[in-house]
Each structure stands twice: as C-alpha cells, then as structure tokens.
Amino acid sequence: MGSAIAGAPALLTARGLTRSFSGFTAVRNVDLTVRPNTVHSVIGPNGAGKSTLFNLLTRFLEPHAGSILYKDVDVTRMPPAQLARQGVVRSFQISAVFPHLTVAQNVAVPLQRLSGLQKVFWRSTACLSELDDRVHALLLQFGLGEWAHVAAGALPYGRKRALELATTFALEPELVLLDEPMAGLGIEDVARVADLIAGLANEKTIVMVEHNLKVVERLSDTVTVLCRGEVLAEGPYEEVAVDARVLEAYIGH
C-alpha cells in the first residue's frame, strides 16, 4: 500500500516488549519493525494483546521488559506527550472529538498548536483566521467540507471517525497509530474511512490495530499476528492468511 524503499531503515522498532498485569502476561517478548511509508497492521483474536502492545508503543503503558526505538532514538521511557511532539500520534477506539465545537473548530485546535497560536492569548480570536485555508483544505481532504459549521457532537458516527483522522493528521505526524479505526462503522462508512486511510498511506507511516480483515487485506503492506501475547506470524496478508497457525488461532483448524 505504501511506497517504502527496499532496505530502508526502520522508523519504529520494538524488541522484547513484555507487559504483565497481576501475574498475567498480556504481551510477551514481542518484536516489531515498522518501515517508513508503509501500513503495518496488528491483528489477532480477542485477548491476543493487541491493545496492550498498542499502548506500549505509544507510551501509555510502561513495558516491564524490552525497548522501543523511534528513528534510532530510545523512547522506551519517553512520556506520551513528548513522543507525540516527536511525530508519533495515535487515535483511540472511542470517538474523541470536542462535541460542542464545530467541525472546523475541532480541526483548528491542533493547527493552533503547530502554529503557536495557542500561546498568544493576548491576541484577538480573529488571529485564528490565518488558519482558515489549512482548515478548509483538511475538511475537503477528509470529506467534511459540507459539515464545517456543524457541531461535532451532532455528526453521524462515520463522520466523527473522519473528523478524528482529520485532527490527527492536522498535527502533521510522521507515524500514526490507529486503534481499530473501523470499530462501530457501517458498511458504507467502513469503505469511506478505508479510502481515507489508503490516501494517507501514500505520505505517512501507519500502524493499525484492526479486526476487519477485508480492510487489513486491502491496506496492509505488513501484517503481524498476535496470539496470547506473542507474535504468531508476520508478513504480507496473503501469506499470513494461509498460515496454519493463524487459521488455528482464528477458526480452530
């Protein structure tokens, strides 16, 4: 899906990641290598450790063992906000928008941080008008142009997902981690959001935890399969989809 250069150095590398909860090991000795300008999907049956791994990679959880490198810099103990400032941004399973702000205002919030306007509190709100062109461009890119002046809380669920992607990518990240972006979407919305991600994959690196295997098949350059907290298989979708161990984990034969 992406346009990774063969042999390109890894953008994100995890080695030996391990995390336990009250004696239960949710992630055990996981290695992961994410190449630039690719879509790398993490899949697995319920309870496989996907969300825990995702939270470890984005520093919302501390690993009990292992390391994480981003662009060859050790970020294993870096706070999430600092990691985000380095260009690693994530989404969440639960819809997260400012419901009482308009769609355009939601997109303007991250743009203010990039422009430094959130620090110039003594200036009139009219100064935000300098963001209008960028806000408008993002709304068009994510199919939200006609919703610009609608309160985000009133959006249909699929459009809220599109708005979350717009606000995520407004931060101009280099690496984006999407946590089940298709969760709760109807068929039409799944197709719309998948199209958005496909377009974004041409210019960004994406790590995606996703249950919809048709979406995974369409979008992914590399798929890592987790089972009981460990890496069961890894490779292109067409290879892991016929792996006997993966079939056993998913459907029992």
Side-chain angles (χ1 to χ4, degrees), residues 39-53:
V39 176
H40 193 127
S41 292
V42 179
I43 67 172
N46 289 333
K50 303 182 299 296
S51 292
T52 300
L53 175 61

Side-chain angles (χ1 to χ4, degrees), residues 113-216:
R113 190 194 71 79
L114 284 181
S115 65
L117 288 176
Q118 86 279 19
K119 298 177 182 178
V120 289
F121 58 87
W122 61 88
R123 292 175 61 184
S124 165
T125 55
C127 70
L128 298 179
S129 62
E130 65 189 67
L131 301 176
D132 287 352
D133 288 347
R134 181 63 179 139
V135 168
H136 181 66
L138 281 163
L139 293 179
L140 291 180
Q141 181 181 3
F142 288 86
L144 294 167
E146 64 185 280
W147 304 87
H149 302 296
V150 175
L155 288 176
Y157 189 71
R159 299 293 181 175
K160 284 183 182 176
R161 283 294 192 186
L163 177 56
E164 289 168 358
L165 288 175
T167 56
T168 298
F169 282 88
L171 290 168
E172 299 182 3
E174 188 169 357
L175 173 62
V176 181
L177 295 101
L178 301 177
D179 193 1
E180 297 192 27
M182 307 301 162
L185 297 182
I187 294 174
E188 290 185 4
D189 286 331
V190 165
R192 182 182 298 111
V193 173
D195 286 344
L196 288 174
I197 294 173
L200 296 165
N202 293 321
E203 55 189 70
K204 303 292 182 182
T205 303
I206 297 173
V207 177
M208 179 173 67
V209 171
E210 183 52 57
H211 283 289
N212 188 319
L213 296 184
K214 290 184 178 179
V215 171
V216 171

